Amino acid sequence: MAGGARRGCGRRGGVILRKRCMRRSGVCALAALVALSAAAGETPLWDTLSDTWGATDALGRRVPTAPEVGPPRPDRFVGIFYFLWLGAHVAGGPHDVTRILGQDPEALGKPSSPLWGPLHAAHHWGESIFGYYLTDDPYVLRAHARMLADAGIDAVIFDVTNQFTYRRQYLALLRVFAEARRDGNRTPQVAFLCPFWDPRRVVDELFRELYEPGIHPELWFRWEGKPLILADPRLIGARAGNDKQDRAVELPAGGTLGQSFAAEAPFDAAGGCFPTWRTTEGAFTLALRRDGPRGAILAERRFENVQDNAWLSLEFDPPLPAGTYYLEMSAGRGKVGWWSHTGDVLPGGQAFAGGAAVPGDRTLALRIADERARRLREFFTFRKPQPDYFQGPTEPDMWSWLEVYPQHVFRNARGEKEQMAVGVAQNAVGGRLGSMSEPGARGRSFRGGATDPAPGAVLRGLNFAEQFERALAEDPRFIFITGWNEWVAGRHAEFSGVRLPVMFVDQFDQEHSRDIEPMRGGHGDNYYYQMVSFVRRFKGARPLPRPSAPATIRIDGGFAQWADVEPEFRDDIGDTAHRDHPGYNDCARYVNRSGRNDIVACKVARDAENLYFYARTRAPLTPAADARWMLLLIDVDCDHRTGWEGYDFLVGRTSTGATTSLERNAGGWAWEPVAAVARVSAGNEVHLAVPRAALGLGGTASFDFKWIDNMPPSGAILDFLTHGDAAPNGRFNYRWRE
């Protein structure tokens, strides 16, 4: 669980690093990926042009393409919250809340019901399309890499906010993602969201066990030239000072506020926490003096446009030695002040006003000089994570992970719009942090300040759409989506001052959950294609490839005839891997050996009489021994409302010698014969010829198509995500326009 929100200055004060930002963009644009792959000696990128693929979801919503979204914008990036813990904290189960409430709708009032797992035990809100899986299942990880890359996701951001790094799980993911890259496929890169209030141990552990030994550096998501880590840099390394506060003291016009202190060890940063009473135009000068209010100035800096309750600091290189010092705030503009305490809470320190001692102490954060901590701070690009859903940024170089609508824009030290959060749902009740199982929580159907009561609203992603539209309007460089695959939440009896018999904080049921990964039943894959659509609107897309000149292909004339035919439509390599892995708490053994012919490339040619279709697989084709072997689906009118899932014709179910069947859809997964068409296969290639007249296509053809192999005859399109091979993946189609 990423955790709740907290207002005001953090209770564990520290030092903000004022980063010397390098003026370079992140390193996830396609061109940069290709360059990195070449430099690292990786397999050249097998670009599937997935941003040109078409798709229509179960609600009839079309995924936009280049004409609607414009050309690619390589300076825009999308990350998604990703969870590693499935299987790491098992206490029985899987306990599925949706199934439990289906058995007993009154179970929320019965904490002793045997349907519930133990108090604090993880409960699933529903079931993934891949079952109740474990995070280290290679089959699932490979599918995630493929689906997220197809969607245009640049980074998966691991949740390690609960002080666990899940090393075994993230190493499993890195290993699978690296294998996919060795095959030439694209995958997202990785970053970590660390504990909000005390990230020291987690950041040090990640550096020691992953980054310092250089494990899979090609998979590190870089921002401004360095690996990105979401952690408060002022909390890295040993600290000293005072974070106790019970009053905000305003800086008077022309006056000063100060704090004396005794540093017992060398230090390289000193600062405090400064309120602005929610104003944004405030400014002041912070200076460090030797000894006291009249001592020599050792360093000073002007801070402009101060955010409310920001921790701001001076940095020193080289570090200053142990001794007695005085931190002074002066030359204020607007309403600014210094968080303080009325008591004597800092041994050896004293608060000052106008150069005279006054009772109490002010907040103070010293960063003790430490060589390892310095290396850590120089290695990463830090962005401080904001846990609060309501407050917005309190300082530059801060990122959000989840907010209520309308979300804030988070700016970098240069004042640029850098980042925004987009959530599927929020565990917020009114204006406070709440639990997803409380009445009034902002679920998937929350929009315009209320939950849409219409039947089926949960299928439409109204909350998600409202938040993404807001982000598109502001157009930051990076959008952080929450989330992909959290799936579980602990059972509680109390949260944030609220007590109920049974409570779930971050996930509860279908409505009150925020995963985009497709589910079994419910909304299926609706949210996935909704995300694809929004990502394309944000990042743009490449135009459809133009076909080469008409050509006649002799089906008995060999495959060399295809050499000059353009374009080549591509599919991911290696996506027919088999599955054999235990499920959550050994609930099942997930076995799937349906993958056999790994389709990697397809082409289309045409002349006045025929359309010619070609497919190539990674390895030699299996014998054409069943009705599931290398089928071609064609949507001749590009209309999802006609045919089965939009497909009007199916080629290949029945074969005799060098011919196979062309069938027209007869409703559902039912097909009626139209004609026999010529087909030849050899080695790892197959091609066939379909008369234009049989398809009802005249002189100019525009259609969508895809190849599938070894799909169950269920007529369920979600099988395209989990069985055999589909080229392209899932609901996606290749688009051919004459």
Side-chain angles (χ1 to χ4, degrees):
M1 179 175 67
R6 183 173 294 210
R7 296 180 180 274
C9 288
R11 300 304 298 171
R12 290 185 174 89
V15 184
I16 285 182
L17 296 182
R18 293 293 161 187
K19 304 194 74 62
R20 301 172 180 87
C21 296
M22 302 173 67
R23 297 184 179 271
R24 285 186 284 175
S25 63
V27 194
C28 287
L30 182 60
L33 264 177
V34 175
L36 280 175
S37 297
E42 296 178 35
T43 304
L45 180 69
W46 179 255
D47 184 7
T48 62
L49 280 80
S50 62
D51 56 332
T52 69
W53 297 346
T56 303
D57 73 6
L59 299 180
R61 300 178 299 188
R62 292 171 62 95
V63 172
T65 52
E68 297 112 312
V69 303
R73 301 201 298 165
D75 59 346
R76 293 298 186 269
F77 305 90
V78 181
I80 195 165
F81 216 10
Y82 191 99
F83 300 85
L84 297 165
W85 56 33
L86 294 172
H89 309 291
V90 174
H95 313 291
D96 188 319
V97 175
T98 299
R99 294 176 185 269
I100 291 170
L101 294 179
Q103 289 181 255
D104 182 1
E106 307 300 322
L108 281 179
K110 304 173 183 177
S112 61
S113 169
L115 297 175
W116 296 118
L119 192 65
H120 306 304
H123 285 59
H124 285 71
W125 67 262
E127 184 179 5
S128 162
I129 191 69
F130 302 111
Y132 300 108
Y133 62 81
L134 298 177
T135 298
D136 60 356
D137 186 334
Y139 174 92
V140 175
L141 293 173
R142 183 96 180 204
H144 286 176
R146 178 171 66 250
M147 295 172 70
L148 293 170
D150 289 346
I153 300 298
D154 299 288
V156 293
I157 301 174
F158 299 136
D159 183 358
V160 292
T161 57
N162 59 359
Q163 298 289 342
F164 291 92
T165 62
Y166 304 104
R167 183 173 185 267
R168 183 171 65 83
Q169 286 81 5
Y170 76 64
L171 287 178
L173 181 142
L174 292 174
R175 183 168 56 252
V176 171
F177 278 30
E179 289 170 355
R181 286 191 169 218
R182 282 195 292 273
D183 286 337
N185 300 305
R186 292 176 300 128
T187 75
Q189 294 173 300
V190 303
F192 292 83
L193 172 58
C194 299
F196 298 108
W197 295 287
D198 189 6
R200 287 177 294 173
R201 186 189 62 78
V202 165
V203 173
D204 184 75
E205 185 175 318
L206 291 172
F207 183 68
R208 183 178 67 252
E209 296 182 347
L210 173 63
Y211 291 101
E212 195 171 31
I215 298 175
H216 294 300
E218 75 281 6
L219 291 172
W220 303 344
F221 181 74
R222 290 168 168 83
W223 193 251
E224 297 190 333
K226 298 179 182 181
L228 172 71
I229 196 162
L230 301 182
D232 187 345
R234 72 171 184 262
L235 302 180
I236 304 304
R239 308 186 303 275
N242 164 52
D243 62 7
K244 297 182 176 64
Q245 54 190 262
D246 62 10
R247 61 177 179 148
V249 178
E250 186 174 355
L251 176 65
T256 65
L257 297 175
Q259 176 70 36
S260 67
F261 62 93
E264 298 181 354
F267 62 102
D268 57 18
C273 184
F274 304 99
T276 67
W277 290 267
R278 298 188 179 181
T279 65
T280 58
E281 303 300 322
F284 66 89
T285 298
L286 193 63
L288 185 73
R289 295 178 179 269
R290 193 181 301 280
D291 298 324
R294 295 177 179 81
I297 294 179
L298 303 174
E300 66 179 355
R301 179 178 172 182
R302 183 74 176 169
F303 292 95
E304 299 283 348
N305 300 318
V306 177
Q307 298 292 318
D308 197 19
N309 301 323
W311 285 89
L312 302 174
S313 299
L314 300 171
E315 294 187 342
F316 318 110
D317 187 12
L320 296 176
T324 303
Y325 298 89
Y326 179 77
L327 192 63
E328 181 180 72
M329 180 187 192
S330 65
R333 187 192 72 226
K335 190 169 185 177
V336 293
W338 198 334
W339 276 102
S340 307
H341 197 282
T342 53
D344 185 10
V345 293
L346 181 65
Q350 179 66 56
F352 285 76
V358 295
D361 285 303
R362 312 209 185 280
T363 51
L364 177 72
L366 301 181
R367 190 175 66 206
I368 306 304
D370 176 83
E371 177 59 25
R372 180 171 178 79
R374 184 190 65 78
R375 287 180 57 212
L376 271 171
R377 290 192 295 270
E378 290 182 353
F379 181 82
F380 293 106
T381 292
F382 282 88
R383 289 295 182 262
K384 177 185 176 182
Q386 168 61 283
D388 195 284
Y389 300 169
F390 308 93
Q391 188 177 17
T394 59
E395 59 202 61
D397 290 339
M398 192 176 197
W399 282 17
S400 55
W401 71 281
L402 187 66
E403 288 198 299
V404 298
Y405 176 87
Q407 315 95 278
H408 297 85
V409 177
F410 284 69
R411 297 178 182 268
N412 59 24
R414 298 186 294 275
E416 300 163 342
K417 292 182 178 182
E418 186 170 80
Q419 185 267 348
M420 290 180 72
V422 168
V424 171
Q426 303 80 35
N427 55 309
V429 181
R432 66 170 174 85
L433 178 69
S435 63
M436 281 293 203
S437 56
E438 285 183 67
R442 301 188 179 205
R444 294 176 185 260
S445 305
F446 190 90
R447 178 181 63 178
T451 299
D452 191 322
V458 69
L459 306 178
R460 297 161 57 197
L462 303 177
N463 190 327
F464 188 39
E466 182 178 57
Q467 291 223 331
F468 226 123
E469 293 287 359
R470 162 77 177 160
L472 292 175
E474 292 293 344
D475 196 26
R477 288 179 60 206
F478 191 103
I479 289 177
F480 187 150
I481 298 174
T482 293
W484 178 248
N485 64 333
E486 192 168 1
W487 287 112
V488 298
R491 179 167 79 87
H492 296 271
E494 185 275 336
F495 177 73
S496 194
V498 176
R499 292 192 63 85
L500 293 171
V502 177
M503 300 180 73
F504 297 94
V505 177
D506 288 284
Q507 306 276 359
F508 172 45
D509 58 11
Q510 182 190 0
E511 170 66 36
H512 301 94
S513 55
R514 54 194 185 214
D515 293 323
I516 292 172
E517 182 184 12
M519 69 176 297
R520 290 189 178 176
H523 52 255
D525 55 1
N526 287 1
Y527 283 80
Y528 174 71
Y529 291 98
Q530 185 182 28
M531 177 178 71
V532 173
S533 296
F534 277 117
V535 170
R536 286 193 188 174
R537 288 176 59 190
F538 178 58
K539 296 177 62 175
R542 288 170 287 183
L544 293 176
R546 297 175 63 87
S548 53
T552 297
I553 303 294
R554 290 178 47 246
I555 297 303
D556 60 354
F559 299 107
Q561 302 170 86
W562 290 95
D564 296 327
V565 174
E566 298 286 344
E568 181 175 74
F569 299 95
R570 293 177 171 182
D571 187 44
D572 291 279
I573 299 172
D575 56 356
T576 53
H578 291 177
R579 185 183 191 186
D580 188 349
H581 204 272
Y584 191 94
N585 194 36
D586 285 324
C587 66
R589 185 87 191 180
Y590 290 111
V591 178
N592 184 337
R593 297 189 175 91
S594 63
R596 57 182 185 187
N597 293 312
D598 185 6
I599 306 162
V600 297
C602 313
K603 292 186 178 186
V604 176
R606 87 283 192 193
D607 58 23
E609 300 297 325
N610 296 304
L611 295 173
Y612 304 95
F613 294 87
Y614 163 89
R616 184 173 73 249
T617 55
R618 188 182 192 186
L621 287 157
T622 61
D626 57 52
R628 304 181 191 180
W629 187 87
M630 294 298 292
L631 304 181
L632 173 67
L633 287 160
I634 307 173
D635 179 357
V636 294
D637 55 9
C638 303
D639 187 347
H640 186 262
R641 296 168 296 180
T642 64
W644 175 80
E645 297 289 349
Y647 300 110
D648 306 291
F649 291 92
L650 173 66
V651 184
R653 282 206 307 169
T654 60
S655 302
T656 304
T659 64
T660 191
S661 59
L662 169 66
E663 299 173 278
R664 178 187 294 109
N665 184 256
W669 185 258
W671 307 88
E672 56 187 21
V674 174
V677 300
R679 184 183 71 183
V680 168
S681 64
N684 65 335
E685 297 172 291
V686 59
H687 63 181
L688 52 86
V690 182
R692 284 178 180 262
L695 297 175
L697 293 175
T700 300
S702 295
F703 56 87
D704 292 354
F705 73 100
K706 76 184 303 139
W707 289 82
I708 60 173
D709 181 70
N710 207 23
M711 295 294 169
S714 62
I717 197 167
L718 287 182
D719 288 341
F720 290 7
L721 288 173
T722 57
H723 289 75
D725 193 19
N729 305 310
R731 293 181 186 266
F732 286 116
N733 292 315
Y734 299 126
R735 309 208 119 167
W736 195 87
R737 302 292 181 262
E738 192 167 19

